Amino acid sequence: VVPSCRSHYAVTMLCGDQQGDHDECRTVESGHYSTLVSIYNPGTCPVVIEKRFAPLVVQGRAVGREPDTQPAKPFAKIELGRGEATMDDCCALKEAGVGVDGLIGVLDLVATGRLRVTVVRTISGREGMTPTVSSYDVEPLRAP
């Protein structure tokens, strides 16, 4: 349960290679996905952030498709001082033991104050042996 006095940011993380056969239902198109989440404290007081993660697709297999659900489990806590920034990405999830290649899930940031959170997603594919960037998206998040 998130106390009402806290700011709450939910980020869909797309990580690693997503593969799929054209004859089957796919959650996302085949390609390589990366997600970067920048977190900045613009305020005058320190902000404590609890990080939680709920996997929805693991190694290409849907584990959170309705009617199935997955809980967001805590995996890290950090304090950002005034004017400090940090980031999370697919590598950080892997290092924390909550992520693997071919992962889609929700990163849940529960903070004691307001933050500036920006999500950068990159999706690449291949044309023959040459990697190509197919999509690049930057999304600023606001706390509800």
Side-chain angles (χ1 to χ4, degrees):
V1 175
V2 178
S4 60
C5 61
R6 302 219 173 158
S7 296
H8 193 74
Y9 305 85
V11 178
T12 299
M13 300 292 291
L14 301 166
C15 299
D17 291 322
Q18 304 290 333
Q19 301 298 325
D21 183 12
H22 290 289
D23 294 334
E24 65 182 47
C25 177
R26 289 180 289 199
T27 303
V28 295
E29 289 299 318
S30 295
H32 185 80
Y33 292 75
S34 299
T35 306
L36 173 134
V37 181
S38 67
I39 307 164
Y40 176 68
N41 177 7
T44 58
C45 298
V47 174
V48 176
I49 305 164
E50 180 181 299
K51 299 176 183 184
R52 304 173 186 177
F53 189 75
L56 300 174
V57 174
V58 177
Q59 293 181 328
R61 191 175 132 259
V63 296
R65 181 180 290 132
E66 188 179 359
D68 296 325
T69 63
Q70 294 293 320
K73 296 178 184 174
F75 70 91
K77 191 180 246 186
I78 187 172
E79 180 176 296
L80 280 183
R82 177 181 78 186
E84 289 185 334
T86 190
M87 66 175 247
D88 280 304
D89 59 10
C90 297
C91 299
L93 290 177
K94 200 175 213 177
E95 290 169 6
V98 297
V100 295
D101 195 36
L103 179 78
I104 300 173
V106 177
L107 173 64
D108 186 14
L109 304 171
V110 182
T112 58
R114 296 235 178 228
L115 299 166
R116 288 203 182 130
V117 178
T118 303
V119 182
V120 179
R121 290 185 190 92
T122 305
I123 305 164
S124 62
R126 290 196 172 275
E127 288 183 21
M129 296 300 292
T130 307
T132 61
V133 173
S134 307
S135 176
Y136 185 82
D137 180 54
V138 178
E139 172 188 7
L141 297 183
R142 301 196 193 295

